[in-house]
Amino acid sequence: NQGLVDDGLVDKEKIGGSNYFWSFPAKKDRMMQLKHEQTLASIEALKVKVSEANARLADAKRGREDENGERAKKLARLGELTKERQKMEEELASLKENDPQALADLEKELKLVTEAANRWTDNIFNCKSYLTKKRGMEKKEACRILGITSAFDYPEDKIPK
């Protein structure tokens, strides 16, 4: 019963403790008539939109008539210019690799990273010193715990000049 009420095909009224359901035969006809009228209205609106779109299309075509094959020539020229621009952008990208400002920025960044690496290397050596002097460990055991080898050193020695 509730499904019919939800669909609007049957009406429901609670009177006292009872629920009363009823339906008028003309109600379904009236609903169908309203739906039909809405559909007709939407069809008319869409016809208006189609005619407006056709008018805009005709206006747009009016300015694009091909006079003496000039449009094809212009499109070919546009293609050539696009390829040339792409070629120039690729050349610019390759030249950016040798930009003095970019190289200076890389050197500055290298200096900052090297300082940070030295700071952490100092910290690791301080930990190793603490473990060997205060805790009485052997150097090999401290290196094993810290996860370093005997070749561990400051990064300046490894930076290419």
Side-chain angles (χ1 to χ4, degrees):
N1 290 335
Q2 189 61 39
L4 293 173
V5 173
D6 292 341
D7 291 340
L9 299 174
V10 175
D11 292 317
K12 172 185 165 186
E13 192 72 32
K14 182 169 180 139
I15 300 174
S18 302
N19 290 326
Y20 291 93
F21 298 93
W22 73 91
S23 175
F24 295 112
K27 183 176 182 179
K28 185 174 180 184
D29 294 339
R30 180 67 183 145
M31 288 174 50
M32 296 301 278
Q33 183 182 10
L34 288 173
K35 187 173 180 178
H36 179 69
E37 289 173 2
Q38 289 172 350
T39 304
L40 290 177
S42 67
I43 288 172
E44 290 300 321
L46 290 173
K47 283 182 180 178
V48 169
K49 284 185 180 180
V50 167
S51 65
E52 289 174 359
N54 284 334
R56 284 197 309 257
L57 179 63
D59 288 342
K61 284 184 177 180
R62 222 174 272 128
R64 294 186 182 218
E65 289 90 15
D66 194 11
E67 300 167 4
N68 302 329
E70 295 223 0
R71 181 168 171 80
K73 292 177 187 175
K74 289 179 181 178
L75 287 174
R77 176 78 173 135
L78 177 64
E80 291 172 12
L81 291 175
T82 304
K83 287 180 184 176
E84 185 178 341
R85 178 179 177 179
Q86 185 178 10
K87 189 176 172 184
M88 295 281 191
E89 287 176 352
E90 289 172 1
E91 184 180 347
L92 179 64
S94 68
L95 291 176
K96 278 186 179 179
E97 293 174 0
N98 299 324
D99 183 22
Q101 180 62 36
L103 292 175
D105 290 344
L106 284 175
E107 288 175 5
K108 183 189 252 185
E109 187 176 343
L110 178 65
K111 184 177 179 184
L112 287 172
V113 170
T114 305
E115 289 173 1
N118 286 335
R119 193 170 42 252
W120 281 101
T121 305
D122 284 341
N123 292 342
I124 291 173
F125 280 139
N126 286 336
C127 288
K128 181 180 173 185
S129 174
Y130 172 79
L131 290 173
T132 56
K133 291 181 182 175
K134 300 286 183 182
R135 295 290 180 185
M137 287 187 187
E138 293 184 23
K139 287 185 178 182
K140 286 185 178 181
E141 180 67 17
C143 287
R144 187 188 63 78
I145 289 174
L146 293 173
I148 59 175
T149 63
S150 60
F152 182 76
D153 201 6
Y154 287 93
E156 287 107 17
D157 304 334
K158 295 169 182 61
I159 297 175
K161 302 284 184 203

